[in-house]
Coordinates of all heavy atoms in Angstrom, one line a residue:
I302 N 81.8 -0.3 37.4 CA 82.9 0.4 36.7 C 83.9 -0.6 36.3 O 84.4 -1.3 37.1 CB 83.5 1.5 37.7 CG1 82.4 2.5 38.2 CG2 84.6 2.2 37.0 CD1 82.9 3.4 39.3
L303 N 84.2 -0.6 35.0 CA 85.2 -1.5 34.4 C 86.6 -1.1 34.8 O 87.0 0.0 34.7 CB 85.1 -1.5 32.9 CG 86.1 -2.3 32.1 CD1 85.8 -3.8 32.3 CD2 86.0 -1.9 30.6
I304 N 87.3 -2.1 35.3 CA 88.7 -1.8 35.8 C 89.7 -2.1 34.7 O 89.7 -3.1 34.1 CB 89.1 -2.7 37.0 CG1 88.0 -2.6 38.1 CG2 90.4 -2.3 37.5 CD1 87.8 -1.3 38.7
V305 N 90.5 -1.1 34.4 CA 91.6 -1.2 33.4 C 92.9 -1.1 34.1 O 93.2 -0.1 34.8 CB 91.5 -0.1 32.3 CG1 92.6 -0.2 31.3 CG2 90.1 -0.1 31.7
F306 N 93.8 -2.1 34.0 CA 95.0 -2.2 34.8 C 96.2 -1.7 34.0 O 96.3 -1.8 32.8 CB 95.2 -3.6 35.2 CG 94.2 -4.2 36.1 CD1 93.1 -4.9 35.6 CD2 94.2 -4.0 37.5 CE1 92.1 -5.3 36.4 CE2 93.2 -4.4 38.3 CZ 92.2 -5.1 37.8
P307 N 97.2 -1.2 34.7 CA 98.5 -1.0 34.0 C 99.1 -2.3 33.4 O 98.9 -3.3 34.1 CB 99.4 -0.4 35.1 CG 98.5 0.0 36.2 CD 97.3 -0.8 36.1
E308 N 99.7 -2.2 32.3 CA 100.2 -3.4 31.7 C 101.1 -4.2 32.6 O 101.9 -3.6 33.4 CB 101.1 -3.1 30.4 CG 100.2 -2.7 29.2 CD 101.1 -2.4 28.0 OE1 102.1 -1.6 28.2 OE2 100.7 -2.9 27.0
H309 N 101.0 -5.5 32.6 CA 101.9 -6.4 33.3 C 101.8 -6.3 34.8 O 102.7 -6.6 35.6 CB 103.4 -6.3 32.9 CG 103.6 -6.3 31.4 ND1 103.3 -7.3 30.6 CD2 104.0 -5.3 30.6 CE1 103.6 -7.0 29.4 NE2 104.0 -5.8 29.3
T310 N 100.7 -5.8 35.3 CA 100.5 -5.7 36.8 C 99.4 -6.6 37.4 O 99.5 -6.8 38.6 CB 100.2 -4.2 37.2 OG1 98.9 -3.9 36.6 CG2 101.3 -3.3 36.7
A311 N 98.5 -7.1 36.6 CA 97.4 -7.9 37.1 C 97.3 -9.2 36.4 O 97.6 -9.2 35.2 CB 96.1 -7.1 37.0
Q312 N 96.9 -10.2 37.1 CA 96.7 -11.5 36.5 C 95.4 -12.1 37.0 O 95.0 -11.8 38.2 CB 97.8 -12.5 36.8 CG 99.1 -12.2 36.2 CD 99.9 -11.2 37.0 OE1 99.9 -11.2 38.2 NE2 100.6 -10.3 36.3
W313 N 94.7 -12.9 36.2 CA 93.5 -13.5 36.6 C 93.7 -15.0 36.7 O 94.3 -15.6 35.8 CB 92.4 -13.2 35.6 CG 91.1 -13.9 36.0 CD1 90.6 -15.0 35.3 CD2 90.2 -13.6 37.0 NE1 89.4 -15.4 36.0 CE2 89.2 -14.5 37.0 CE3 90.2 -12.6 38.0 CZ2 88.1 -14.5 37.9 CZ3 89.2 -12.6 38.9 CH2 88.1 -13.5 38.9
D314 N 93.3 -15.6 37.8 CA 93.4 -17.1 37.9 C 92.0 -17.7 37.8 O 91.1 -17.5 38.6 CB 93.9 -17.4 39.3 CG 94.2 -18.9 39.5 OD1 93.5 -19.7 39.0 OD2 95.1 -19.2 40.3
D315 N 91.8 -18.4 36.6 CA 90.5 -18.9 36.3 C 90.1 -20.0 37.3 O 88.9 -20.1 37.7 CB 90.5 -19.6 34.9 CG 90.3 -18.5 33.8 OD1 89.6 -17.6 34.0 OD2 90.9 -18.7 32.7
E316 N 91.0 -20.8 37.7 CA 90.7 -21.9 38.6 C 90.2 -21.4 40.0 O 89.3 -22.0 40.6 CB 91.9 -22.8 38.8 CG 92.3 -23.6 37.6 CD 93.5 -24.5 37.8 OE1 93.8 -24.8 39.0 OE2 94.1 -25.0 36.8
K317 N 90.9 -20.4 40.5 CA 90.5 -19.9 41.8 C 89.6 -18.7 41.8 O 89.1 -18.2 42.8 CB 91.8 -19.4 42.6 CG 92.7 -20.6 42.9 CD 94.0 -20.1 43.6 CE 95.0 -21.2 43.8 NZ 96.2 -20.7 44.4
S318 N 89.3 -18.2 40.5 CA 88.5 -17.0 40.4 C 89.0 -15.8 41.2 O 88.2 -15.2 42.0 CB 87.0 -17.3 40.7 OG 86.5 -18.2 39.7
T319 N 90.3 -15.6 41.1 CA 90.9 -14.5 41.9 C 91.7 -13.6 41.0 O 92.3 -14.0 40.0 CB 91.8 -15.1 43.0 OG1 92.8 -15.9 42.4 CG2 91.1 -15.8 44.0
L320 N 91.8 -12.4 41.4 CA 92.6 -11.4 40.7 C 93.9 -11.2 41.6 O 93.8 -11.0 42.8 CB 91.8 -10.0 40.7 CG 92.6 -8.8 40.2 CD1 92.9 -8.9 38.8 CD2 91.8 -7.5 40.5
S321 N 95.0 -11.2 40.9 CA 96.3 -10.9 41.6 C 96.7 -9.5 41.1 O 96.9 -9.2 40.0 CB 97.4 -11.8 41.2 OG 97.0 -13.1 41.6
Y322 N 96.8 -8.5 42.1 CA 97.2 -7.2 41.8 C 97.9 -6.6 43.0 O 97.4 -6.6 44.1 CB 95.9 -6.4 41.4 CG 96.2 -4.9 41.0 CD1 96.9 -4.7 39.9 CD2 95.8 -3.9 41.8 CE1 97.2 -3.4 39.5 CE2 96.1 -2.6 41.4 CZ 96.8 -2.3 40.3 OH 97.1 -1.0 39.9
K323 N 99.1 -6.1 42.7 CA 99.9 -5.4 43.8 C 100.1 -6.3 45.0 O 99.9 -5.8 46.1 CB 99.4 -4.1 44.1 CG 99.6 -3.1 42.9 CD 99.3 -1.7 43.4 CE 99.6 -0.7 42.3 NZ 99.5 0.7 42.7
G324 N 100.4 -7.6 44.8 CA 100.6 -8.5 45.9 C 99.4 -9.0 46.6 O 99.5 -9.7 47.6
Q325 N 98.2 -8.6 46.2 CA 97.0 -9.0 46.8 C 96.3 -10.1 45.9 O 96.4 -10.0 44.7 CB 96.0 -7.8 47.0 CG 96.5 -6.8 47.9 CD 95.5 -5.6 48.0 OE1 94.4 -5.7 47.5 NE2 95.8 -4.6 48.7
Q326 N 95.5 -10.9 46.6 CA 94.7 -11.9 45.9 C 93.2 -11.6 46.3 O 92.9 -11.6 47.4 CB 95.0 -13.3 46.4 CG 96.4 -13.8 46.2 CD 96.7 -14.0 44.8 OE1 95.9 -14.6 44.0 NE2 97.9 -13.6 44.3
I327 N 92.5 -11.1 45.3 CA 91.1 -10.7 45.6 C 90.2 -11.7 44.8 O 90.2 -11.8 43.6 CB 90.8 -9.3 45.1 CG1 91.8 -8.3 45.8 CG2 89.4 -8.8 45.4 CD1 92.9 -7.9 44.9
G328 N 89.3 -12.3 45.6 CA 88.4 -13.3 45.0 C 87.1 -12.5 44.6 O 86.8 -11.4 45.1
L329 N 86.3 -13.1 43.7 CA 85.1 -12.6 43.3 C 84.2 -12.4 44.5 O 84.1 -13.2 45.4 CB 84.3 -13.5 42.3 CG 84.9 -13.5 40.9 CD1 84.2 -14.4 40.0 CD2 84.9 -12.1 40.3
G330 N 83.5 -11.2 44.6 CA 82.6 -10.9 45.7 C 83.4 -10.3 46.9 O 82.7 -9.7 47.8
N331 N 84.7 -10.3 46.9 CA 85.5 -9.7 48.0 C 85.7 -8.2 47.6 O 85.7 -7.8 46.5 CB 86.8 -10.4 48.2 CG 86.6 -11.8 48.7 OD1 85.6 -12.1 49.4 ND2 87.5 -12.7 48.5
R332 N 86.0 -7.5 48.7 CA 86.2 -6.1 48.6 C 87.6 -5.7 47.9 O 88.6 -6.3 48.3 CB 86.2 -5.5 50.0 CG 86.2 -3.9 50.0 CD 85.7 -3.5 51.4 NE 85.7 -2.0 51.4 CZ 84.8 -1.3 51.0 NH1 83.7 -1.8 50.4 NH2 84.8 0.0 51.1
L333 N 87.5 -4.9 46.9 CA 88.7 -4.3 46.2 C 88.8 -2.9 46.6 O 87.8 -2.1 46.5 CB 88.5 -4.5 44.7 CG 89.7 -4.0 43.9 CD1 91.0 -4.7 44.1 CD2 89.3 -4.1 42.4
D334 N 89.9 -2.4 47.0 CA 90.2 -1.0 47.3 C 91.4 -0.7 46.4 O 92.5 -1.1 46.6 CB 90.6 -0.9 48.8 CG 90.9 0.5 49.2 OD1 90.9 1.4 48.4 OD2 91.0 0.7 50.5
I335 N 91.1 0.2 45.4 CA 92.1 0.4 44.4 C 92.2 1.9 44.1 O 91.2 2.6 44.0 CB 91.7 -0.4 43.1 CG1 92.8 -0.5 42.1 CG2 90.4 0.1 42.5 CD1 92.6 -1.5 41.0
T336 N 93.4 2.4 44.0 CA 93.6 3.8 43.6 C 93.7 3.9 42.1 O 93.8 2.9 41.4 CB 95.0 4.3 44.2 OG1 96.0 3.6 43.6 CG2 95.0 4.3 45.7
G337 N 93.5 5.1 41.6 CA 93.5 5.4 40.2 C 92.7 6.6 39.9 O 92.5 7.5 40.7
S338 N 92.1 6.6 38.7 CA 91.2 7.7 38.3 C 90.2 7.2 37.3 O 90.4 6.2 36.6 CB 92.0 8.8 37.7 OG 92.7 8.3 36.5
I339 N 89.1 7.9 37.3 CA 88.0 7.6 36.3 C 88.5 8.0 34.9 O 89.3 8.9 34.8 CB 86.7 8.3 36.7 CG1 85.5 7.7 36.1 CG2 86.8 9.8 36.4 CD1 85.0 6.5 36.8
G340 N 88.0 7.2 34.0 CA 88.4 7.5 32.6 C 87.2 7.9 31.7 O 86.1 7.7 32.1
D341 N 87.5 8.4 30.6 CA 86.4 8.7 29.6 C 86.8 7.9 28.3 O 87.8 8.2 27.7 CB 86.5 10.2 29.3 CG 85.4 10.6 28.3 OD1 84.8 9.8 27.6 OD2 85.2 11.8 28.1
F342 N 85.9 6.9 28.0 CA 86.3 6.0 26.9 C 86.5 6.8 25.6 O 87.4 6.4 24.8 CB 85.2 4.9 26.8 CG 85.6 3.9 25.7 CD1 86.5 2.9 26.0 CD2 85.0 3.9 24.5 CE1 86.9 2.0 25.1 CE2 85.3 3.0 23.5 CZ 86.3 2.0 23.8
E343 N 85.7 7.8 25.4 CA 85.8 8.5 24.1 C 87.2 9.2 24.0 O 87.8 9.2 22.9 CB 84.7 9.6 24.0 CG 83.3 9.1 23.9 CD 83.1 8.2 22.7 OE1 83.6 8.5 21.6 OE2 82.4 7.2 22.9
Q344 N 87.8 9.6 25.1 CA 89.1 10.3 25.0 C 90.2 9.3 25.2 O 91.3 9.5 24.7 CB 89.2 11.3 26.1 CG 88.3 12.5 25.9 CD 88.4 13.5 27.1 OE1 89.0 13.2 28.1 NE2 87.8 14.7 26.9
D345 N 89.9 8.2 26.0 CA 91.0 7.3 26.4 C 91.1 6.0 25.7 O 91.9 5.1 26.0 CB 90.9 7.0 27.9 CG 91.0 8.2 28.8 OD1 91.9 9.0 28.5 OD2 90.2 8.4 29.7
N346 N 90.2 5.7 24.7 CA 90.1 4.4 24.1 C 91.4 3.9 23.4 O 91.6 2.8 23.3 CB 88.9 4.2 23.2 CG 88.9 5.1 22.0 OD1 89.9 5.2 21.3 ND2 87.8 5.8 21.7
L347 N 92.2 4.9 22.9 CA 93.4 4.5 22.2 C 94.5 4.0 23.2 O 95.4 3.3 22.7 CB 93.9 5.7 21.4 CG 93.0 6.1 20.2 CD1 93.6 7.4 19.5 CD2 92.7 5.0 19.3

Side-chain angles (χ1 to χ4, degrees):
I302 300 171
L303 176 67
I304 309 299
V305 181
F306 297 94
E308 286 181 311
H309 313 294
T310 62
Q312 291 82 36
W313 178 254
D314 185 329
D315 280 323
E316 290 181 19
K317 297 178 182 176
S318 294
T319 58
L320 171 70
S321 297
Y322 183 66
K323 292 193 172 183
Q325 297 180 6
Q326 303 287 320
I327 303 101
L329 287 179
N331 290 336
R332 188 164 179 82
L333 178 66
D334 182 353
I335 193 167
T336 61
S338 61
I339 199 79
D341 179 348
F342 186 76
E343 296 299 320
Q344 293 177 351
D345 298 318
N346 65 46
L347 296 177

